C-alpha cells in the first residue's frame, strides 16, 4: 500500500506527462505482478463499485472524534472531498493502537483480502474495522483507502499515459495493449502475465476493439482537400457501440467500455444470424421503423437491469452499422475503409439481420455541398456529419487526420442565473455550478444547470459577485439576485415531466456571458417550446435501410 500511495502522489502531484510516465514505468518495473495488476486496475478506473458510502465514513469519523458536525461540514466545503477531509482531520485525532496484521501489507492483500471484509460484517464491526485500518496507515494512505472504499478513486493520469508506461516497460505496441485491456478484467497474476506476454494471440471472445474517435474538423484546411477522397455520413445521436458475435456468443459494448448486452435483447437473434467472428461498429438508436427517434427515447432504456416487453415496444431500437472490424474471425482494421465498407454491405445484404442496417454515406461533390448537408443534420435526427478518408485504417483512440466530425452549431437560449453552488475538488472554494432560468410570464423558471464554458477570470469575477448578492441559502445552494444573462448551448431538447419547466436539454454549457443583455430580454419558456417543436422528430425524413 505504501509504494502504491507513493506512486499515486508522484503521478497526481505533477503536470509533466514525462514525469507521470516515468513514475508509472518505474512502478511496473519494481513491483510484483500481484501488485502491478491491481495498480493497473485502479489507474484505469475499473473500480466502480462502492463498498461504503462517504456518509458512512463521515459518521464513523464523527463518532471517533470530538469535532462537531458543523466544523466537519465547513472543512469539507473548503477541501471539496470527504475522503481527503477525513484523512486530513485524522492527523490530529487520537486513534487506537495500530494493528500489526494491517501494517506493511502489500496492495494486493489490501484489495483481495482486507478491504472486502466490509461487505460481510455488521455495522458495528464495520466501524471497528475501518478505525483499525485508519490507525494502521499513514495520512496519504488513509486518503487512498477512503477513495477505494467509496468507489471514487481517481488519479491525474489518462488511460493513454498508463498504457504508454506499460508499453515502454515491456516493449509492446501501445495499440496491442489497448486492445488487451478493453472491457473489464479480473486483476490476477495470470491476467497480467498474459497481458505483457509478447506472444499472446488469443483473447476472450467478449473483448471489443478500442474505438477509433473522430477529431473536430479544421474547416479551412479540410475545404482544400480533394472531396473525392472522402466519405460523409450522418453523425447519429445515439450510443456508439460494438456488436460482437464470437464463439457462438454475442456481446454489446458501449464506447465507455460498459457491457450493455442485457439492455438490448433485440440484437441477440440478429447477431446469431451473422457469421461467427463478426464485429460491427456503429450506433444504437431508437427507431420508428424508418428513421431515428429523439435521444430522449433511448435515455429511457439506459442503465436498466432489466428491459421488459413494454419498454422495448415503446422505445424500439436499431443498430446503424458504420464499420466492420472483424470478418470471419480476422481483424481487418488495417485494411482501407472502402474495402471494410464493401465487406460490411455484402455481409448485411447476404444475411439481412433484423434491427441492423448499414448507415449509408451521403452524396456530395464539393465542400459547399457538405456545408448544406450539415445544415440539414437535425432534420435527420443527427448531430452533424462524420468525414472519413476512404483509404483510412481503423485506428485506436483520437488520431487526427483521417476521421473528422463536422457537428452542427448547438441550440441556444439566453437564460438568467438564479442559483449557484460551489464546485468540488480543486473548485471547492469557488461557485462554479450554476442554474439558469427562462421567463414564463412574470416568473423565472429553472431550465438548465451548467458548470463549463467560463474562463478562470470570469469564474473568479462571478464568484465574488455571487457572495455579495446571495438572497437565500438552501444547504450548499445559494439563490442569487436575478441580474446576469448567459447564452446557454445544448445538443438537444425534449419534453420532461420531471422538470418544472416541462423540458430537458442535453449537454448544456455556457457559451458566453451576455453583459450586453438585461434580464428582461432573456428568452422565455415559450421560446424553448418553439425550439422543441421545430426539432420534433415526428416530421423527420426517412433513413433508408437498404
Amino acid at each position: 500500500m505504501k509504494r502504491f500511495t507513493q506512486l499515486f502522489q508522484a503521478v497526481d502531484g505533477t503536470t509533466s506527462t514525462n514525469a507521470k510516465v516515468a513514475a508509472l514505468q518505474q512502478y511496473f518495473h519494481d513491483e510484483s505482478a500481484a501488485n502491478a495488476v491491481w495498480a493497473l486496475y485502479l489507474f484505469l478506473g475499473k473500480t466502480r463499485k462502492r463498498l461504503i458510502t462517504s456518509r458512512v465514513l463521515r459518521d464513523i469519523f464523527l463518532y471517533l472524534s470530538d469535532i462537531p458536525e458543523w466544523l466537519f461540514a465547513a472543512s469539507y466545503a473548503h477541501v471539496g472531498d470527504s475522503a481527503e477531509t477525513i484523512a486530513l482531520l485524522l492527523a490530529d485525532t487520537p486513534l487506537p493502537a495500530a494493528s500489526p496484521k494491517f501494517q506493511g501489507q502489500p496492495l494486493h492483500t489490501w484489495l483481495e483480502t482486507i478491504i472486502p471484509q466490509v461487505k460481510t460484517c455488521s455495522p458495528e464491526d464495520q466501524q471497528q474495522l475501518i478505525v483499525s485500518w485508519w490507525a494502521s496507515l499513514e495520512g496519504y494512505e488513509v486518503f487512498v483507502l477512503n477513495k477505494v472504499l467509496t468507489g471514487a478513486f481517481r488519479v491525474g493520469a489518462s488511460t493513454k499515459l498508463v498504457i504508454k508506461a506499460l508499453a515502454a516497460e515491456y516493449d509492446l505496441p501501445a495499440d496491442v495493449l489497448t486492445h488487451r485491456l478493453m472491457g473489464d478484467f479480473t486483476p490476477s497474476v495470470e491476467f497480467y502475465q498474459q497481458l505483457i506476454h509478447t506472444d499472446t494471440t488469443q483473447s476472450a471472445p467478449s473483448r471489443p476493439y478500442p474505438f477509433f474517435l473522430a477529431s473536430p474538423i479544421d474547416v479551412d484546411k479540410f475545404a482544400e482537400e480533394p472531396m473525392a477522397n472522402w466519405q460523409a455520413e450522418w453523425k447519429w445521436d445515439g450510443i456508439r457501440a460494438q456488436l460482437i458475435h464470437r464463439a457462438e456468443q454475442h456481446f454489446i459494448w458501449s464506447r465507455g467500455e460498459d457491457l450493455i448486452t442485457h439492455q438490448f435483447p433485440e440484437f441477440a437473434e440478429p447477431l446469431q444470424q451473422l457469421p461467427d467472428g463478426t464485429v460491427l461498429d456503429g450506433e444504437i438508436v431508437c427507431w420508428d421503423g424508418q428513421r431515428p427517434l429523439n435521444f430522449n427515447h433511448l435515455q429511457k432504456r439506459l442503465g436498466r437491469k432489466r428491459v421488459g416487453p413494454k419498454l422495448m415496444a415503446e422505445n424500439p431500437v436499431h443498430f446503424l452499422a458504420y464499420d466492420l472490424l472483424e470478418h470471419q474471425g480476422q481483424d481487418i482494421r488495417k485494411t482501407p475503409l472502402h474495402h471494410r465498407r464493401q465487406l460490411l454491405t455484402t455481409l448485411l445484404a447476404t444475411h439481412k439481420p433484423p434491427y441492423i442496417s448499414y448507415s449509408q454515406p451521403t452524396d456530395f461533390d464539393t465542400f459547399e455541398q457538405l456545408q448544406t448537408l450539415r445544415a440539414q443534420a437535425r432534420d435527420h435526427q443527427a448531430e452533424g456529419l462524420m468525414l472519413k478518408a476512404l483509404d483510412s485504417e481503423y485506428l485506436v483512440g483520437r488520431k487526427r487526420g483521417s476521421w473528422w466530425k463536422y457537428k452542427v452549431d448547438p441550440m441556444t437560449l439566453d437564460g438568467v442565473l438564479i442559483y449557484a453552488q460551489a464546485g468540488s475538488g480543486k473548485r471547492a472554494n469557488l461557485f462554479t455550478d450554476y442554474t439558469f432560468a427562462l421567463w414564463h410570464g412574470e416568473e423565472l423558471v429553472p431550465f438548465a444547470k451548467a458548470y463549463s464554458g467560463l474562463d478562470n477570470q470570469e469564474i473568479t469575477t462571478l464568484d465574488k459577485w455571487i457572495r455579495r448578492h446571495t438572497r437565500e441559502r438552501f444547504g450548499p445552494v445559494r439563490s442569487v439576485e436575478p441580474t446576469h444573462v448567459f447564452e446557454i448551448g445544448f445538443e438537444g431538447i425534449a419534453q420532461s415531466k420531471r422538470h418544472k419547466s416541462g423540458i430537458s436539454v442535453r449537454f448544456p454549457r455556457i457559451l458566453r456571458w451576455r453583459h450586453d443583455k438585461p434580464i428582461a430580454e432573456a428568452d422565455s419558456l415559450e421560446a424553448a417550446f418553439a425550439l422543441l417543436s421545430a426539432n420534433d422528430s415526428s416530421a423527420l425524413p426517412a433513413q433508408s435501410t437498404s
Side-chain angles (χ1 to χ4, degrees):
M1 179 66 93
K2 186 179 293 293
R3 288 182 181 177
F4 178 73
T5 300
Q6 291 169 348
L7 170 66
F8 179 92
Q9 290 176 294
V11 172
D12 209 49
T14 180
T15 58
S16 167
T17 298
N18 290 337
K20 292 177 190 284
V21 172
L24 285 160
Q25 184 178 350
Q26 189 64 48
Y27 184 87
F28 293 135
H29 178 81
D30 294 341
E31 273 293 357
S32 66
N35 289 327
V37 72
W38 273 108
L40 185 64
Y41 196 75
L42 290 168
F43 269 71
L44 293 178
K46 301 293 185 180
T47 51
R48 298 177 182 174
K49 188 173 182 180
R50 184 174 60 189
L51 297 174
I52 195 169
T53 66
S54 297
R55 184 177 185 85
V56 169
L57 278 189
R58 186 206 65 174
D59 290 345
I60 293 173
F61 171 78
L62 291 174
Y63 174 82
L64 175 70
S65 73
D66 58 0
I67 291 177
E69 188 170 351
W70 68 265
L71 183 55
F72 182 90
S75 301
Y76 169 77
H78 181 77
V79 175
D81 181 275
S82 58
E84 186 174 3
T85 302
I86 291 170
L88 291 170
L89 292 175
L90 279 171
D92 297 316
T93 302
L95 291 167
S99 173
K101 65 180 179 180
F102 298 133
Q103 288 183 305
Q105 293 290 353
L107 179 66
H108 74 92
T109 300
W110 274 97
L111 292 167
E112 294 170 8
T113 306
I114 300 174
I115 291 177
Q117 295 176 41
V118 299
K119 295 187 294 183
T120 57
C121 62
S122 66
E124 294 77 14
D125 291 340
Q126 187 181 80
Q127 177 175 299
Q128 293 179 3
L129 197 59
I130 290 173
V131 171
S132 66
W133 293 346
W134 287 344
S136 304
L137 297 173
E138 297 178 1
Y140 219 86
E141 292 175 287
V142 172
F143 168 68
V144 171
L145 170 69
N146 290 346
K147 299 297 280 186
V148 172
L149 284 170
T150 57
F153 182 87
R154 301 288 186 274
V155 67
S158 65
T159 296
K160 184 178 179 180
L161 287 187
V162 177
I163 291 175
K164 184 177 181 180
L166 202 63
E169 176 58 26
Y170 295 106
D171 194 25
L172 287 167
D175 59 341
V176 171
L177 286 172
T178 302
H179 185 205
R180 293 177 185 176
L181 288 167
M182 282 293 288
D184 201 2
F185 61 84
T186 301
S188 64
V189 172
E190 180 183 12
F191 171 82
Y192 192 75
Q193 290 173 341
Q194 291 177 345
L195 174 69
I196 63 176
H197 202 287
T198 55
D199 296 328
T200 300
T201 56
Q202 294 184 342
S203 62
S206 65
R207 182 163 296 154
Y209 291 102
F211 284 84
F212 185 20
L213 307 177
S215 300
I217 191 172
D218 184 327
V219 173
D220 293 335
K221 288 185 178 180
F222 189 85
E224 299 173 359
E225 289 278 342
M227 295 296 118
N229 296 344
W230 293 85
Q231 170 186 288
E233 60 191 79
W234 295 117
K235 187 180 188 303
W236 298 112
D237 187 13
I239 297 177
R240 181 85 177 275
Q242 286 181 29
L243 270 54
I244 298 173
H245 180 205
R246 293 194 191 110
E248 299 183 358
Q249 303 175 72
H250 74 279
F251 310 91
I252 304 174
W253 288 92
S254 72
R255 180 184 137 184
E257 297 185 37
D258 292 315
L259 187 61
I260 55 175
T261 312
H262 66 285
Q263 294 182 29
F264 302 100
E266 296 97 325
F267 296 128
E269 185 176 340
L271 276 171
Q272 293 296 336
Q273 294 179 17
L274 296 176
D276 201 72
T278 297
V279 179
L280 304 175
D281 175 29
E283 200 89 7
I284 298 174
V285 297
C286 274
W287 192 257
D288 71 355
Q290 293 182 302
R291 52 194 164 229
L293 293 168
N294 188 285
F295 185 84
N296 196 47
H297 288 271
L298 191 59
Q299 189 79 40
K300 297 173 184 177
R301 297 188 55 154
L302 303 183
R304 299 267 184 164
K305 292 184 178 179
R306 181 181 177 276
V307 177
K310 183 175 185 292
L311 195 62
M312 292 167 61
E314 293 176 349
N315 304 281
V317 292
H318 194 87
F319 185 78
L320 292 165
Y322 298 143
D323 215 326
L324 182 64
L325 310 186
E326 188 174 313
H327 182 56
Q328 297 178 348
Q330 297 297 311
D331 178 356
I332 61 170
R333 292 176 297 159
K334 296 293 184 183
T335 60
L337 171 65
H338 64 82
H339 180 61
R340 301 196 307 272
R341 282 283 194 164
Q342 186 176 27
L343 291 174
L344 173 63
T345 54
T346 301
L347 176 75
L348 297 182
T350 301
H351 297 277
K352 297 182 174 62
Y355 306 112
I356 299 175
S357 65
Y358 169 55
S359 181
Q360 296 185 23
T362 58
D363 295 326
F364 70 99
D365 295 312
T366 66
F367 185 71
E368 288 71 26
Q369 290 176 343
L370 269 184
Q371 291 176 307
T372 301
L373 284 170
R374 171 179 174 263
Q376 300 169 356
R378 286 204 175 97
D379 295 335
H380 295 264
Q381 204 62 26
E383 298 178 310
L385 292 169
M386 295 287 292
L387 307 174
K388 300 177 181 178
L390 291 170
D391 62 353
S392 63
E393 298 178 359
Y394 191 96
L395 303 174
V396 174
R398 201 179 301 278
K399 303 289 178 62
R400 295 178 62 84
S402 55
W403 283 23
W404 303 104
K405 54 184 178 183
Y406 192 21
K407 296 182 68 174
V408 294
D409 294 330
M411 302 177 190
T412 65
L413 288 167
D414 288 339
V416 180
L417 174 67
I418 59 171
Y419 298 116
Q421 183 174 348
S424 58
K426 294 179 180 179
R427 289 186 165 186
N429 296 319
L430 293 169
F431 286 95
T432 58
D433 296 5
Y434 315 111
T435 299
F436 301 94
L438 302 173
W439 287 109
H440 183 50
E442 300 297 318
E443 181 186 7
L444 283 169
V445 180
F447 89 102
K449 293 183 177 181
Y451 56 86
S452 64
L454 298 180
D455 60 33
N456 290 336
Q457 184 176 349
E458 288 175 318
I459 289 172
T460 301
T461 300
L462 188 55
D463 176 79
K464 291 178 180 177
W465 182 89
I466 289 167
R467 295 176 190 277
R468 294 195 305 267
H469 297 83
T470 296
R471 301 171 72 177
E472 293 181 86
R473 301 189 185 197
F474 309 95
V477 179
R478 295 193 182 194
S479 168
V480 298
E481 297 172 8
T483 304
H484 297 290
V485 177
F486 294 81
E487 183 179 13
I488 308 302
F490 44 93
E491 299 303 316
I493 184 169
Q495 285 186 298
S496 172
K497 296 179 180 179
R498 296 175 55 244
H499 298 86
K500 182 180 179 180
S501 63
I503 59 169
S504 63
V505 294
R506 192 162 173 237
F507 300 142
R509 68 269 192 194
I510 301 168
L511 297 182
R512 57 176 172 151
W513 191 342
R514 296 297 306 267
H515 296 283
D516 60 318
K517 181 170 276 194
I519 63 169
E521 295 180 14
D523 281 315
S524 66
L525 200 53
E526 288 72 23
F529 275 99
L531 193 59
L532 172 65
S533 178
N535 289 276
D536 193 334
S537 63
S538 60
L540 297 180
Q543 153 77 7
S544 171
T545 59
S546 60

